[in-house]
């Protein structure tokens, strides 16, 4: 009898240790946190479906593989709820995210909570939700967030895009319905925490000016990363201001700060008949010319600025894949082809080197 009791006690102790070990593994095995070197590649499937071929050293190569081999460790992808042409919709984004995972990179999902572009001036509620009461809208946000998590399993979940004045207007407009905006953001955040506790949550503001005001407003929200857009053409030409803003936000709110969007031209020329966003000398930072070397120097300098700050945790290049894939006479082509990571012959540019550690 004594031997049986001892054997039972040993078995129970072993089982308890095994369970504790599994729990400990779950708690201590979050997404590995390393400095994020990312590129937004949201338009890649659309460009590829139109016949675009990306190259490296004049040889055809998967654009995602080119980035991975250069040192990029995260791919940022936008998600629209019910886009008119299906691009950036759930099916396309899920497939792109799987390609990213197959290459061993992280998936950073930018969930716009809109059917189309969301930015500081546009935060249009999805058509399917426009007639909902606020209570039902909040429930829809939670349900949709849950669906996104189960379908895509992102490493980083960005709640909204450039939400300077909230999202899901008018009900979630920050300056007119602050409490409702916070309830909507908290609904998404709570869903993520409950269903994907290892997924990191980002809130995103465009620019440096007034960033402190915005992140003060969301100080009660449960999130991990502060995301900032920084484009010299709109947000100033001082990398010192970038560092000071990162330091101040990190100190004030105890969060890691990521430059969630940035870009710079390798030329002031154009490849199609669509006006480019940047095309004038006075839109540049004087130290970085619009050349392949200048583009590389800008991104390398920005990366080093973020690394040197007290709270900086990474960067994402935006529009790098947005080459002029509709043809050289397209008036609805790319307004960004001179800021892409591939040149007008679709060859990878020297700026790729900036993704290295």
């Amino acid at each position: 009898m004594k031997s049986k009791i001892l054997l039972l006690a040993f078995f129970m102790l072993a089982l308890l240790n095994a369970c504790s070990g599994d729990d400990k593994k779950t708690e201590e095995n979050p997404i590995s946190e390393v400095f994020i070197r990312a590129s937004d590649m949201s338009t890649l499937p659309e460009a590829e479906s139109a016949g675009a071929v990306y190259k490296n050293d004049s040889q055809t190569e998967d654009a995602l593989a080119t980035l991975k081999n250069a040192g990029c460790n995260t791919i940022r992808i936008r998600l629209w709820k019910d886009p008119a042409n299906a691009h950036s919709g759930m099916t396309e984004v899920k497939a792109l995210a799987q390609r990213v995972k197959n290459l061993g990179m992280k998936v950073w999902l930018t969930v716009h909570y809109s059917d189309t572009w969301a930015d500081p001036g546009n935060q249009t509620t999805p058509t399917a939700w426009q007639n909902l009461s606020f209570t039902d809208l909040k429930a829809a946000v939670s349900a949709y967030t849950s669906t996104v998590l189960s379908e895509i399993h992102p490493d980083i979940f960005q709640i909204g895009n450039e939400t300077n004045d909230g999202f899901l207007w008018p009900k979630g407009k920050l300056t007119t319905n602050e409490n409702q905006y916070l309830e909507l953001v908290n609904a998404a955040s709570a869903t993520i925490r409950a269903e994907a506790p290892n997924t990191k949550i980002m809130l995103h503001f465009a620019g440096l000016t007034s960033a402190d005001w915005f992140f003060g407003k969301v100080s009660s929200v449960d999130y991990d990363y502060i995301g900032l857009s920084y484009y010299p053409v709109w947000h100033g030409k001082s990398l010192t201001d970038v560092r000071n803003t990162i330091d101040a936000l990190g100190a004030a709110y105890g969060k890691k700060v990521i430059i969630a969007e940035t870009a710079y031209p390798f030329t002031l020329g154009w490849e199609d008949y669509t006006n480019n966003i940047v095309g004038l000398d006075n839109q540049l930072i004087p130290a970085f010319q619009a050349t392949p070397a200048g583009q590389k120097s800008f991104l390398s300098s920005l990366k080093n600025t973020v690394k040197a700050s007290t709270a900086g945790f990474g960067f994402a290049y935006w529009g790098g894949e947005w080459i002029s894939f509709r043809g050289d006479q397209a008036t609805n082509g790319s307004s960004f082809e001179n800021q892409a990571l591939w040149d007008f012959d679709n060859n990878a540019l020297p700026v790729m080197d900036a993704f290295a550690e």
Side-chain angles (χ1 to χ4, degrees), residues 163-164 174 203-219 223 226-229 241-242 244-246 248-250 252-253 257:
T163 54
N164 295 32
L174 176 56
L203 300 182
H204 182 204
F205 183 88
L208 308 180
T209 304
S210 299
D212 181 65
W213 170 84
F214 174 80
F215 288 103
K217 291 291 186 182
V218 298
S219 60
Y223 72 102
I226 285 174
L228 299 173
S229 292
D241 288 348
V242 173
N244 290 342
T245 300
I246 292 173
L249 291 173
Y253 304 109
V257 183

Side-chain angles (χ1 to χ4, degrees), residues 82-285:
D82 297 308
N85 62 5
H87 289 302
S88 293
M90 182 69 77
T91 300
E92 183 178 88
V93 170
K94 184 177 180 179
L96 179 57
Q98 190 58 55
R99 288 173 60 184
V100 171
K101 293 174 185 179
N102 290 344
L103 285 168
M105 293 186 285
K106 294 180 183 178
V107 172
W108 166 356
L109 204 60
T110 303
V111 185
H112 285 225
Y113 292 93
S114 179
D115 294 335
T116 187
W117 298 100
D119 55 41
N122 302 277
Q123 296 286 342
T124 305
T125 298
T127 300
W129 297 351
Q130 287 183 359
N131 295 322
L132 296 180
S133 67
F134 177 71
T135 298
D136 289 342
L137 177 62
K138 190 163 65 169
V141 166
S142 296
Y144 176 63
T145 300
S146 180
T147 299
V148 171
L149 291 169
S150 63
E151 290 289 325
I152 300 176
H153 306 287
D155 299 291
I156 301 172
F157 193 118
Q158 184 181 307
I159 302 175
N161 188 69
E162 296 189 328
T163 54
N164 295 32
D165 196 12
F167 67 168
L168 294 164
W169 291 351
K171 292 182 175 69
K173 193 173 179 68
L174 176 56
T175 51
T176 56
N177 288 305
E178 180 176 334
N179 289 337
Q180 290 189 171
Y181 166 67
L182 292 174
E183 285 190 48
L184 292 168
V185 174
N186 279 317
S189 174
T191 300
I192 298 166
R193 289 294 192 234
E195 300 182 14
N198 282 340
T199 295
K200 300 299 180 182
I201 300 173
M202 178 183 289
L203 300 182
H204 182 204
F205 183 88
L208 308 180
T209 304
S210 299
D212 181 65
W213 170 84
F214 174 80
F215 288 103
K217 291 291 186 182
V218 298
S219 60
S220 63
V221 177
D222 184 7
Y223 72 102
D224 303 290
Y225 299 149
I226 285 174
L228 299 173
S229 292
Y230 171 64
Y231 296 98
V233 64
W234 292 311
H235 305 135
K237 300 177 181 180
S238 170
L239 295 187
T240 299
D241 288 348
V242 173
R243 176 172 177 172
N244 290 342
T245 300
I246 292 173
D247 288 343
L249 291 173
Y253 304 109
K255 306 292 184 182
K256 293 177 179 178
V257 183
I258 299 168
I259 298 301
E261 293 185 21
T262 195
Y264 205 79
F266 64 88
T267 179
L268 293 181
W270 57 91
E271 193 185 6
D272 57 24
Y273 288 177
T274 305
N275 287 335
N276 289 336
I277 290 172
V278 176
L280 302 173
D281 280 321
N282 63 11
Q283 295 174 311
L284 304 175
I285 298 175

Side-chain angles (χ1 to χ4, degrees), residues 293-350:
Q295 181 191 46
K296 174 183 173 180
S297 183
F298 166 79
L299 190 57
S300 295
S301 297
L302 180 61
K303 176 184 70 175
N304 292 336
T305 296
V306 177
K307 281 188 168 183
S309 66
T310 56
F313 194 60
F315 69 91
Y317 197 92
W318 193 88
E321 83 290 18
W322 198 9
I323 57 176
S324 184
F325 61 85
R326 291 195 173 100
D328 58 11
Q329 295 185 32
T331 56
N332 65 336
S334 174
S335 59
F336 228 76
E337 82 270 22
N338 68 323
Q339 297 189 75
L341 299 173
W342 286 262
D343 66 18
F344 291 171
D345 293 319
N346 297 0
N347 271 311
L349 284 156

